[in-house]
Amino acid sequence: MRPRENLQTGWRERLAQASLRAQAPAPLIAEGRLTRMVGLTLEAVGCEMPVGGRCEIATAQGRRVEAEVVGFSGAKVFLMPVGDIRGLTPNARVIPLGSSHNIAVGPELLGRVLDGVGRPLDGKGPVHTPDSVALTGHPINPLSRRPIREPLNVGIRAINALISVGRGQRMGLFAGSGVGKSVLLGMMTRYTEADVTVVGLIGERGREVKEFVQQSLGEAGLARAVVIASPADDPPLMRLHGAWYATAIAEYFRSRGLKVLLLIDSLTRFAQAQREIALAIGEPPATKGYTPSVFAKLPQLVERAGNGSRDSEGSITAFYTVLTEGDDPNDPIADAARAILDGHIILSRQIAERGRYPAIDVEASISRVMHEVIPPDHLAQARRFKQLYAAYSAHRDLISVGAYQTGSDPGVDESIARYPDMERFLQQSMAEGVDFAGSRAALADFFPAPPPVQTTDEGDGEAAELLRQLSDYTNTQALS
């Protein structure tokens, strides 16, 4: 066929396709109207949309406000706005978009700072990504998850040695205000061995977003990181989307076989955003004002992290900060988080006030997979360290006033002698990163092996055997 005939054939095919599109009936969209607004809750009638569906509300100035369906009652649909609601009027048009939220993902997100719906905040222009995934993700069959078997270096000696974290573990970072939580997160982003770091700053102060990006991450750290920022002045639905978006990005990189570090700061602000939405649409409060849906949303978010189901997939090691209101460890969100996470790290205000940073309370902190990722001798030495530290803490008041009598308890005597060394072991500056091998070696040096027992009479077999048994007993006591 000649080139002219090829051109005519192509035109005929395109004309036929255009004709078919013209003959197809245009889809009818049943628009609704806005009837009521109380706080941030919008009520609309005349449109049928599923929970989680998206719509746009036309303002008097011609602007459109995006909203999401969060509930319904009879013919009324409850909407929660994603953006600014100024300009909305009674009987405003409600235009269904007919789809749930899909968000853009891809390697192009590395080095960028975005808001809860993917709009750039860093002034580097729009983000063009070829792939998109569902915002809320898909659950993983618990029986198909790969087990946690490898330790993860987080760059902090106290955690590596005494609260060892596994690759794919979900940990909680429990802290009150002003005890060094943000500094500890910054150290993790800087020193943790991960291919990609995804940070979700949810409901925090806007000032902290810039400080975290410029000081904690820096240019080198931001190059292999994605930051999703939804500060405290964002609507509650935007804050929920920020946590979901950060998790969805981490899932994307995990599916590409990468080792991902996910930091969500904070899980408490996520819960508070869900509480605001639930109370606004009439859900009854349960525990300290938190509604039942809050405690259902927490595991839905947390369970998306961890190891994947296929050997070709990578892992998501996640740290979720939890704000303990009034330093109450039995805060409802803190209590719920402890039940669904694989361990927790407690930051103590009393330790911070003594000037020791990071202010990790090693007695109250625990890693539930530690025994699966480290050898038995490491585990025994970590237990011995905690026992010594706990013995000193239990008698701190007596020791400080001079009421403790040396010789009353050999364990306490040893803890008093070694307490300065323990404090130096737990203290670490921001600029100092300690790898896992270095942390392990420092803990091993803290408990040197006892010298071998020398026998004076090689011919006396019974005495030599007795001395050998005594030496074994001494070694066992040192590790117990």
Side-chain angles (χ1 to χ4, degrees), residues 344-356:
H344 50 268
I345 299 171
I346 307 294
L347 298 185
S348 169
R349 187 175 303 277
Q350 289 75 19
I351 295 176
E353 289 172 350
R354 295 202 304 265
R356 195 252 286 166

Side-chain angles (χ1 to χ4, degrees), residues 46-62:
C47 53
E48 294 184 358
M49 293 181 290
V51 173
R54 299 165 58 220
C55 65
E56 289 181 340
I57 306 172
T59 65
Q61 296 80 17

Side-chain angles (χ1 to χ4, degrees), residues 363 389-398:
E363 298 177 68
Y389 198 85
Y392 186 91
S393 298
H395 296 79
R396 181 184 299 274
D397 293 339
L398 294 176

Side-chain angles (χ1 to χ4, degrees), residues 107 109-112 187-199 217-227 253 258-261:
L109 297 180
L110 292 175
R112 302 303 302 268
M187 294 174 67
M188 288 182 180
T189 58
R190 195 175 305 169
Y191 302 123
T192 300
E193 294 176 350
D195 300 319
V196 175
T197 301
V198 182
V199 182
L217 278 176
E219 293 185 3
L222 185 60
R224 60 181 183 93
V226 184
V227 179
F253 287 112
L258 299 179
K259 301 170 185 176
V260 184
L261 173 67

Side-chain angles (χ1 to χ4, degrees), residues 79-104:
L79 308 174
M80 190 65 62
V82 177
D84 187 7
I85 60 176
R86 285 178 295 181
L88 293 182
T89 59
N91 298 316
R93 294 168 56 205
V94 179
I95 308 160
L97 297 180
S99 63
S100 57
H101 280 277
N102 285 336
I103 47 95

Side-chain angles (χ1 to χ4, degrees), residues 345-377:
I345 299 171
I346 307 294
L347 298 185
S348 169
R349 187 175 303 277
Q350 289 75 19
I351 295 176
E353 289 172 350
R354 295 202 304 265
R356 195 252 286 166
Y357 291 96
I360 299 174
D361 187 348
V362 295
E363 298 177 68
S365 304
I366 188 173
S367 171
R368 292 194 175 103
V369 303
M370 182 174 178
H371 62 284
E372 299 286 349
V373 299
I374 62 173
D377 59 335

